[in-house]
Amino acid sequence: MKLIFSGVFLLFFLIQFNSFSQSSKATNPIIFADVPDLSMVRVGDTYYMSSTTMHMSPGVPIMKSKDLVNWEIVNYAYDILEDVDELNLENGKSDYGNGSWASCIRFHNETFYVSTFSGTTGKTYIYSTQDIEKGPWKKISFEPSYHDHNFFFDDDGRNYLIWGNGKLMIAELKDDLTGVKAGTEKVLIENASAPAGNNIGLGAEGSQLFKVNGKYYLFDITWPKGGMRTVVIHRADKITGPYEGRVGLQDKGVAQGGLIDTPDGKWFAYLFRDFGAVGRIPYWVPVTWEDGWPVLGVNGKVPEILNLPASKGVIPYIVNSDDFKRKKKETDLPLVWQWNHNPVNELWSVRERKGYLKLTTGRVDSHFLEARNSLTQRTFGPQCSGSTAIDVSNMKDGDIAGLGLLQKKYGLVGVKIENGEKKLVMINAQNDTPEEIESLPIDQETVYLKVECDFEEKKDVADFYYSFDGTNWKKIGNQLRMVYTLPHFMGYRFALFNYATKNAGGYVDFDYFHIKNQLTQNK
């Protein structure tokens, strides 16, 4: 009897120990939110990572970590990219899916550099600072816009750009980084997609170059037709080649990124995966070295569990609740917030009414995607909810304000003033044309709104709720089937908004925005 009991106890202990061991380790995805086009650098025991947020302002988020797992937004490379119609949402123009794309972060001679490029402006940008968390940033821009470029400082003091799609190019930069040296541009690799086969849909791009033990390693993403996104690696003894290539990883479509090492000698590849409506989410893959090549994954696969510390979650480091209460020396907006396109700073405030975000309309627009000063945060998986309370007593006829899910096929719940009467509305644009699914008359000044998103196993659905007391919630409208669309090229975002369809000058006050990592309502 004692032997049976001991055996059962041992089995229970092993199960519990194994469960504890796994829960105390990091799991993929590292961040279940839209953080694409990663670039990373380690300085001592601290990692810094930049990413793409395109038409959002401020732009090119800088994230910091001590363990490669728990990341916090600490800065942005710029407040606005440029003051042009597309980025300002003016004169019928927008910059959805454009703005600034894949950045590259470097550390050289005690200075941080972040480069990016823009199809909107046709320029390449290089930002530099000695204090990456506080700035200030120095800005350099020049033409043309070098697609998916990699910015590289070599050991001999020369600086390079590598860029392109399929055919990869290289050129030497001027010493002051203000452009490419004339006559240095040349083909680096004629067909960088070749290791993945001849039937290629997306040519090799997203180049990131690393120098390890005297050799150069170039990482790219390519996409064979009928296959999946694939990591291709090339290596050479000289930066200018010749390069030999091979497939580095082909599993789950996890691709595009590069190499990072830890202070104790471990190696990882940082990559991302397209995961439906939530966006492009980061995955880390362990790396070993064989015959001078980085070997990605465990038996060629992306592991679920990593030999890194467990994640503490994305709240409050990547997304966070906000009660809009500001002390005198605090910044107006925490770094988790970004505006949809460039904001009009005169039309918003968190100081005017203590404890509230005030959004004032400045012009007439026809729908949610045209609205300026929509304030956004990422949605995240596997499930999340966002809620707010809004004072609608100072809206004008034709105004619409509330809480939305921002993407081309958007959904929102809010208050609309129509012929002097307040209505609670749910609008669904999943069929590309905004449709008012349900409306209810209301007669109070404060309403409570909530949106819940389910990204588990790519369900990609959202439900919308309202409350008159903040406690008792009711569903409104229908379920939004969220779709990641290329015209926006971004995962869905929560958005606080207010826009006018008849007369400018009305305003609303948001009391708070609360975010949770679970669904809170019964379906």
Side-chain angles (χ1 to χ4, degrees):
M1 186 70 179
K2 288 182 179 179
L3 288 174
I4 294 174
F5 178 79
S6 298
V8 171
F9 178 79
L10 178 61
L11 179 61
F12 175 78
F13 173 79
L14 290 174
I15 292 172
Q16 292 299 106
F17 179 78
N18 185 59
S19 175
F20 173 78
S21 298
Q22 290 187 5
S23 65
S24 63
K25 297 292 186 180
T27 58
N28 274 317
I30 293 293
I31 303 172
F32 207 143
D34 194 48
V35 185
D37 303 333
L38 314 166
S39 182
M40 195 183 299
V41 66
R42 177 173 64 84
V43 180
D45 64 351
T46 305
Y47 306 90
Y48 293 98
M49 178 169 68
S50 63
S51 179
T52 296
T53 51
M54 293 174 294
H55 49 275
M56 296 290 165
S57 292
V60 186
I62 308 298
M63 302 180 184
K64 172 186 175 182
S65 176
K66 287 288 189 178
D67 58 12
L68 270 179
V69 177
N70 296 285
W71 294 88
E72 178 183 6
I73 302 173
V74 294
N75 208 343
Y76 290 90
Y78 61 78
D79 287 328
I80 66 168
L81 183 67
E82 298 285 1
D83 184 12
V84 297
D85 283 354
E86 290 87 350
L87 287 161
N88 289 335
L89 273 177
E90 287 187 335
N91 296 318
K93 297 180 180 181
S94 74
D95 216 41
Y96 288 112
N98 290 308
S100 62
W101 281 14
S103 60
C104 177
I105 187 169
R106 294 286 185 236
F107 182 72
H108 180 70
N109 289 342
E110 303 303 314
T111 300
F112 289 92
Y113 296 84
V114 176
S115 65
T116 186
F117 67 102
S118 175
T120 305
T121 64
K123 294 180 180 179
T124 295
Y125 297 83
I126 298 177
Y127 300 89
S128 60
T129 182
Q130 292 187 319
D131 189 340
I132 197 169
E133 297 186 37
K134 297 180 181 178
W137 293 89
K138 176 185 175 183
K139 173 183 174 182
I140 294 173
S141 65
F142 53 86
E143 295 180 344
S145 173
Y146 288 100
H147 175 80
D148 272 16
H149 70 260
N150 177 88
F151 177 40
F152 191 81
F153 292 98
D154 209 353
D155 297 334
D156 60 2
R158 300 163 78 180
N159 316 314
Y160 296 88
L161 281 185
I162 296 171
W163 73 95
N165 176 284
K167 178 190 289 188
L168 301 182
M169 308 295 294
I170 188 170
E172 191 173 345
L173 280 169
K174 297 176 182 177
D175 293 341
D176 60 4
L177 309 180
T178 56
V180 166
K181 287 185 178 180
T184 64
E185 182 176 323
K186 60 177 284 189
V187 175
L188 183 67
I189 303 175
E190 183 66 39
N191 181 10
S193 308
N198 297 319
N199 192 22
I200 298 297
L202 174 71
E205 63 178 18
S207 297
Q208 295 197 36
L209 184 68
F210 306 89
K211 192 173 186 179
V212 181
N213 295 328
K215 286 186 178 291
Y216 297 87
Y217 297 88
L218 184 64
F219 276 58
D220 287 277
I221 180 176
T222 191
W223 195 348
K225 291 180 179 179
M228 67 180 70
R229 295 178 186 267
T230 300
V231 178
V232 173
I233 304 172
H234 287 81
R235 75 174 184 181
D237 294 321
K238 296 181 180 180
I239 192 170
T240 53
Y243 282 83
E244 56 179 328
R246 60 166 57 175
V247 170
L249 183 70
Q250 197 171 58
D251 184 39
K252 297 181 180 178
V254 174
Q256 189 164 341
L259 287 170
I260 195 73
D261 66 336
T262 66
D264 60 356
K266 297 187 185 75
W267 286 86
F268 292 90
Y270 55 88
L271 307 163
F272 69 81
R273 179 186 184 189
D274 290 66
F275 203 81
V278 75
R280 297 177 288 168
I281 60 180
Y283 278 67
W284 292 179
V285 177
V287 173
T288 54
W289 292 85
E290 295 180 10
D291 300 324
W293 284 95
V295 178
L296 277 58
V298 179
N299 298 320
K301 300 296 181 181
V302 177
E304 179 183 349
I305 299 171
L306 298 165
N307 187 24
L308 289 168
S311 171
K312 298 175 184 177
V314 296
I315 303 171
Y317 312 104
I318 306 298
V319 297
N320 199 15
S321 296
D322 195 342
D323 289 325
F324 301 118
K325 296 175 181 176
R326 302 288 184 265
K327 296 178 181 178
K328 286 186 177 180
K329 294 185 179 181
E330 287 183 326
T331 58
D332 283 356
L333 289 175
L335 296 173
V336 294
W337 290 110
Q338 287 177 285
W339 297 101
N340 178 24
H341 290 69
N342 295 342
V344 183
N345 290 320
E346 297 76 17
L347 297 177
W348 69 272
S349 175
V350 290
R351 306 284 181 178
E352 205 165 312
R353 182 181 178 186
K354 188 175 181 180
Y356 287 82
L357 165 70
K358 179 180 180 180
L359 295 182
T360 304
T361 64
R363 67 180 191 196
V364 171
D365 293 309
S366 61
H367 57 79
F368 174 54
L369 297 183
E370 293 180 354
R372 296 198 70 175
N373 283 13
S374 293
L375 188 60
T376 80
Q377 286 198 41
R378 293 170 177 84
T379 59
F380 57 98
Q383 298 169 327
C384 63
S385 68
S387 60
T388 189
I390 178 173
D391 181 343
V392 299
S393 57
N394 294 290
M395 296 175 69
K396 289 190 173 185
D397 196 51
D399 288 1
I400 304 177
L403 175 61
L405 286 177
L406 178 63
Q407 234 280 358
K408 184 175 185 289
K409 298 177 182 291
Y410 65 84
L412 63 86
V413 57
V415 174
K416 179 179 181 180
I417 309 294
E418 193 169 63
N419 298 321
E421 301 294 329
K422 295 188 185 73
K423 298 195 306 180
L424 195 65
V425 298
M426 185 270 170
I427 295 175
N428 188 320
Q430 68 185 23
N431 295 322
D432 293 327
T433 301
E435 183 180 356
E436 189 175 298
I437 303 299
E438 185 177 355
S439 66
L440 302 168
I442 59 172
D443 60 1
Q444 61 186 67
E445 294 183 349
T446 299
V447 294
Y448 303 83
L449 309 172
K450 181 183 292 186
V451 179
E452 300 203 329
C453 304
D454 191 347
F455 301 108
E456 194 168 27
E457 297 179 351
K458 296 186 180 179
K459 288 180 184 175
D460 291 352
V461 294
D463 292 288
F464 299 79
Y465 299 86
Y466 71 95
S467 173
F468 293 132
D469 58 11
T471 301
N472 299 296
W473 293 91
K474 293 183 179 180
K475 189 180 291 189
I476 184 171
N478 60 2
Q479 192 171 70
L480 174 69
R481 296 191 302 275
M482 295 181 285
V483 179
Y484 187 96
T485 70
L486 291 181
H488 277 217
F489 214 4
M490 182 175 287
Y492 276 78
R493 282 179 168 248
F494 294 111
L496 305 179
F497 68 91
N498 180 31
Y499 66 94
T501 64
K502 293 183 179 179
N503 302 288
Y507 66 89
V508 293
D509 294 309
F510 292 90
D511 190 4
Y512 60 80
F513 175 74
H514 290 168
I515 201 164
K516 293 185 178 180
N517 61 351
Q518 61 187 14
L519 305 181
T520 61
Q521 302 303 125
N522 294 324
K523 298 301 176 189

